[in-house]
């Protein structure tokens, strides 16, 4: 019964995605159409795009559930840090970025100018391309490992599920590009909102058999897998790790560059300064609303972990633990004659599917954008109206998806992968901060900052037994990147 319903849910979700991609593709005739908001370039469209893209499944549900199981109440620093990072970004950093968004520029190109080295752009682009593909892999892998727990080991659906997910996403993204991302945001936002409500109700089910004392004991658990350091240091690490996050997320630069340049291009030159200031206020408002919603979404898996920890059902917590909980949700009793369990289960799975697709498709479009503009150095400016350029772009998007298939048979430690994905990218913090301040960037500082970030965050992912030797990756990587970049930039200026 449960397996059949789950299959029906997945098929329904696939149909919605395919329909949305086909509808969005009607507006695409050139390569520049492929990389724009299109008719959805509205204030509400921006809010939905920001919210659904950041409502990830693996990184904001699975990873946080597992993290909460090992760190207790300290894990709440992640959603708090994310929201504070948004606030810091929109009020402190965003004003300096608006002119860059108006001209549709992103930091690989800007770092080339700031360093005076053409190869810096290629290096930065390659680093971000790898980063985006890892994020995409994590999203696809997390969901398929979760869903396969509901099927027998010899099930054909279980065997073909990862490939089916990739094929659907490849068709969807290749067909309609960023228009597909934006075009599906309405339905995805609705599914995430409705699914979020279902998840909150599911929390009450989880807490029914757990006493206050058991919950309190669960939230005070502070055995942190990254090493034996205090809760205060863990919180500081999380806060610093997310403080500059939106500044270095390529998908955020892409989203805002498409949004601002698309809107400012329709305004007469005389009024563009006024419009730019108005758009800044629009972004601040819509991002703040989205951040509050996301903070709530990110808290749900943490609270769920507390409930299951309190009832001693996660020893240790795994994806199977999460799947077992939703199997029990399915069997929950009726309320006023309504079979509430299946409703909650269906809503939760559709939330997870929408969260996966909305995030992964943005990463793939971003990866293709980087490959074309920053590695191949083909400018997407609307002048190339040939169908061949559009066909090559669509082919690149499909290939990017299919390259992930072999890696879907690898089951990573999501808690460690979460740490690596978020903190290794902070090697860009120093160089990008400098260029936003209008300063020259040392190419040596840029390379050192990236190499250090990867070298500090990668070993614990490869060998968990040496995690103790690489504590506080958020604090350490951000501090080293800022100090190195500013120090070498200053010495370069003196000479």
């Amino acid at each position: 019964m449960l397996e059949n319903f789950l299959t029906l849910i997945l098929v329904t979700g696939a149909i919605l995605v395919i329909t949305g991609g086909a509808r969005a593709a009607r507006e695409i005739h050139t390569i520049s159409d492929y990389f724009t908001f299109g008719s959805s370039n509205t204030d509400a469209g921006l809010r939905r795009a920001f919210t659904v893209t950041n409502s990830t499944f693996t990184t904001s549900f699975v990873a946080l559930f597992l993290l909460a199981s090992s760190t207790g109440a300290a894990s709440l620093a992640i959603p708090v840090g994310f929201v504070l990072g948004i606030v810091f970004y929109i009020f402190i950093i965003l004003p300096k970025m608006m002119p860059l968004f108006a001209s549709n520029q992103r930091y690989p190109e800007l770092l080339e100018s700031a360093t005076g080295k053409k190869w810096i752009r290629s290096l930065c682009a390659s680093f971000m391309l790898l980063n985006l593909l890892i994020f995409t892999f994590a999203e696809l892998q997390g969901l398929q490992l979760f869903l396969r727990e509901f099927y027998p080991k010899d099930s054909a659906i279980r065997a073909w599920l990862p490939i089916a997910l990739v094929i659907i996403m490849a068709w969807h993204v290749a067909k309609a590009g960023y228009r597909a991302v934006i075009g599906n945001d309405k339905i995805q936002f609705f599914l995430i909102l409705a699914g979020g409500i279902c998840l909150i109700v599911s929390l009450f089910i989880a807490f029914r058999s757990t006493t206050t004392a058991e919950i309190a004991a669960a939230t005070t658990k502070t055995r942190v897998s990254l090493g034996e350091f205090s809760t205060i240091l863990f919180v500081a690490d999380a806060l610093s790790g997310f403080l500059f996050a939106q500044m270095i997320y390529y998908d955020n630069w892409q989203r805002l560059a498409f949004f601002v340049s698309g809107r400012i291009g329709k305004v007469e030159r005389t009024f563009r300064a006024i419009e730019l200031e108005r758009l800044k206020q629009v972004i601040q408002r819509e991002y703040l609303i989205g951040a509050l919603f996301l903070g709530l979404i990110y808290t749900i898996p943490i609270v769920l972990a507390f409930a299951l920890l309190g009832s001693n059902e996660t020893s240790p917590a795994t994806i199977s633990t999460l799947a077992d909980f939703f199997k029990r949700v399915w069997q929950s009793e009726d309320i006023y004659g309504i079979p509430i369990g299946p409703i909650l289960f269906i809503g939760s799975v559709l939330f997870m599917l929408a969260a996966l697709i909305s995030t992964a498709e943005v990463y793939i479009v971003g990866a293709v954008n980087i490959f074309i503009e920053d590695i191949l150095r083909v400018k997407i400016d609307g002048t190339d109206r040939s169908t061949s350029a559009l066909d090559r772009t669509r082919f690149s998007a499909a290939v990017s998806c299919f390259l992930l298939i072999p890696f879907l048979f690898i089951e990573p430690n999501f808690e460690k992968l979460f740490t690596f994905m978020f903190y290794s990218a902070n090697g860009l913090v120093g160089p990008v901060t400098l260029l936003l301040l209008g300063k020259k960037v040392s190419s040596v500082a840029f390379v050192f900052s990236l190499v250090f970030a990867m070298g500090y965050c990668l070993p614990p992912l490869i060998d968990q037994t040496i995690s103790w030797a690489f504590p506080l990756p958020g604090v350490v990587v951000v501090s080293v990147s800022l100090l190195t970049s500013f120090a070498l930039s200053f010495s370069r200026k003196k000479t």
Side-chain angles (χ1 to χ4, degrees), residues 144-152 158 319-320 323-324 327:
Q144 74 100 357
L145 288 176
F146 172 78
L147 292 176
R148 78 177 189 180
E149 293 291 329
F150 296 91
Y151 294 97
R158 175 173 172 153
I319 291 180
S320 296
D324 288 340
K327 289 176 184 178

Side-chain angles (χ1 to χ4, degrees), residues 334-346:
D334 295 351
I335 297 180
Y336 298 113
I338 300 175
I340 190 69
I343 293 174
L344 296 178
F345 179 82
I346 292 171

Side-chain angles (χ1 to χ4, degrees), residues 94 109 125 153-154 161 199 226 301 314 347 388 422 435 449 478 486:
L94 179 65
E109 178 184 0
K153 290 186 178 180
D154 59 350
L161 185 60
L199 289 170
L226 297 178
T314 56
S388 60
F422 280 98
L435 73 85
S449 189
V478 168
F486 276 82

Side-chain angles (χ1 to χ4, degrees), residues 26 56 69 204 339 344 389:
R26 296 172 186 170
T56 64
S69 301
F204 287 99
L344 296 178

